[in-house]
Amino acid sequence: MHSQNTLHADQSLPADAVLSEVLDGLSQQQKSLPSKYFYDTEGSELFDQICELDEYYPYRTEIAMLPSIAQDVSHMLNEPCNIVEFGAGSLAKIRILLKHVDSISRFTPIDIAGDFLRREADTLQKEFPHVEVYPVEADFTRPVELNTNASLKNIGFFPGSTIGNFTTEAAQAFLTQARETLGNGSLLLIGVDTKKPPAMLHKAYNDQRGITRKFNLNMLAHLNRETGADFDLDKFEHYAFYNPEKGRIEMHLISQTEQTVTVAGNAFEFREGESIHTENSHKYTQQEFKQLASNSGWRSTRHWMGGQQLFSVHLLQAMD
Ligand code: AVJ
């Protein structure tokens, strides 16, 4: 599906790369699947529904913080900028930046859900005709080619605490790579979820209406379509808990019975109660995150807290 009003680039993963990651994850002792496979069009829409839930504090807290952050950042800029958003989703947050920061002349949203991305980018382009919208369909956990314009200052935008999906080592690798991609003199505005009482975290990932459950199970439907796997969605259940030692929420899908799942001719045996680990969502104290940034070529020059420490946003500056 091609959009009509926007230029775009397709750097999507080839089908065999998806298959090999899936086979790899299911072959581990602790079975796992990469959380980026939540996001097909259906999954991106389910995530938007999660953001509307009372229990899911990160989205609304960060959204409420963004207008004043945008004004603060706007005062620090005096040259035309390109904003590069990693995992752009439905583009709600960038609208706030575009409204408050006049120096943004280009917007480069990167997302793995290509059809969803192009649809959202088209709508945005019409609302902001003076901004050049250049969507890139890509898996940002791998190096992305940016087609940058040397006369623009690059500002990375990575809201929502998606950084929490990475293990600490992977987060460090991602930030180091983003520093490379964005270049000298760049900035990175990044949302980071904070540590808080586990009961509140538990509610945020086990909502009453069961939207998070649907979101988790949708990964199996997505992979059935994408790889021809035969996961039976009725035979798995959502399970999410806070792991205090690792400082993260873990989401799993638990096999309700002994069963065999076949993916491209490969059979995987499940015991009753055996889980597939589908997501980590790491929570950071201010100190922990500053340390992570400085290990990855960035300096946290400023940070904002919202909702009485419920969520934080850091502004990182590329170190020379
Ligand atoms: C989009 C990765 C930030 O970890 O909170 C929401 C995804 N998973 N509910 C998160 C998610 C379950 C979300 N991120």
Side-chain angles (χ1 to χ4, degrees):
M1 193 181 83
H2 277 252
S3 65
Q4 301 182 332
N5 304 298
T6 4
L7 279 170
H8 65 269
D10 184 352
Q11 298 174 32
S12 54
L13 280 182
D16 57 336
V18 176
L19 182 60
S20 89
E21 287 187 337
V22 169
L23 296 178
D24 211 55
L26 294 179
S27 303
Q28 308 297 313
Q29 173 85 349
Q30 166 64 68
K31 292 180 171 66
S32 68
L33 289 168
S35 50
K36 62 192 176 196
Y37 295 125
F38 286 134
Y39 305 99
D40 57 354
T41 296
E42 173 78 19
S44 302
E45 285 166 359
L46 284 167
F47 181 67
D48 284 350
Q49 289 180 39
I50 288 176
C51 292
E52 301 301 315
L53 295 167
D54 288 342
E55 297 101 322
Y56 194 71
Y57 64 87
Y59 181 83
R60 72 179 127 78
T61 307
E62 188 183 42
I63 281 276
M65 297 167 74
L66 281 178
S68 92
I69 291 174
Q71 280 168 349
D72 290 348
V73 171
S74 178
H75 292 135
M76 304 169 63
L77 301 171
N78 44 19
E79 59 197 298
C81 299
N82 171 33
I83 298 257
V84 178
E85 184 169 359
F86 299 94
S90 61
L91 307 182
K93 292 167 186 167
I94 193 65
R95 282 180 167 80
I96 302 176
L97 296 196
L98 291 174
K99 275 180 198 139
H100 291 91
V101 187
D102 293 331
S103 50
I104 302 173
S105 61
R106 188 187 242 249
F107 173 50
T108 311
I110 305 170
D111 206 281
I112 196 167
D115 290 339
F116 186 80
L117 171 68
R118 286 181 288 272
R119 187 179 87 195
E120 299 297 321
D122 268 357
T123 309
L124 185 83
Q125 180 67 87
K126 285 173 192 133
E127 280 169 53
F128 296 91
H130 57 286
V131 176
E132 190 185 353
V133 180
Y134 186 79
V136 177
E137 175 181 358
D139 169 5
F140 64 73
T141 68
R142 301 177 172 225
V144 180
E145 268 196 56
L146 269 192
N147 185 1
T148 46
N149 175 337
S151 66
L152 297 178
K153 180 189 183 78
N154 285 322
I155 304 180
F157 185 39
F158 197 27
S161 200
T162 306
I163 188 75
N165 281 175
F166 294 113
T167 61
T168 309
E169 305 77 64
Q172 207 164 302
F174 168 81
L175 289 171
T176 305
Q177 183 187 288
R179 162 72 187 80
E180 276 306 298
T181 309
L182 297 170
N184 290 337
S186 61
L187 299 171
L188 178 58
L189 189 63
I190 182 168
V192 180
D193 199 7
T194 56
K195 288 206 159 79
K196 56 185 60 68
M200 185 171 191
L201 289 166
H202 188 268
K203 281 196 186 121
Y205 293 84
N206 291 281
D207 65 278
Q208 288 281 314
R209 290 174 51 207
I211 310 292
T212 309
R213 169 184 180 277
K214 271 199 193 163
F215 174 71
N216 199 1
L217 282 163
N218 176 65
M219 185 191 287
L220 301 181
H222 177 204
L223 292 175
N224 281 347
R225 244 177 295 118
E226 188 114 352
T227 68
D230 66 353
F231 289 106
D232 182 345
L233 275 64
D234 295 332
K235 291 191 179 155
F236 287 90
E237 228 359 287
H238 167 72
Y239 184 55
F241 64 95
Y242 185 63
N243 179 335
E245 233 173 358
K246 300 243 161 93
R248 69 192 189 197
I249 285 281
E250 293 187 18
M251 293 217 305
H252 294 253
L253 287 164
I254 298 193
S255 178
Q256 298 304 101
T257 166
E258 188 177 300
Q259 59 177 319
T260 304
V261 174
T262 306
V263 188
N266 302 271
F268 295 96
E269 306 295 336
F270 285 81
R271 304 180 304 272
E272 180 180 345
E274 186 176 359
S275 83
I276 310 173
H277 186 181
T278 51
E279 186 178 52
N280 287 318
S281 191
H282 288 82
K283 314 301 171 190
Y284 291 97
T285 65
Q286 195 197 121
Q287 261 333 97
E288 285 168 341
F289 190 74
K290 283 191 168 180
Q291 186 61 51
L292 174 63
S294 72
N295 292 344
S296 322
W298 297 93
R299 193 180 14 253
S300 174
T301 52
R302 221 180 141 171
H303 78 277
W304 299 261
M305 285 279 182
Q308 277 146 347
Q309 330 274 307
L310 274 188
F311 199 84
S312 67
V313 174
H314 287 248
L315 182 68
L316 310 184
Q317 207 160 50
M319 290 197 275
D320 297 326

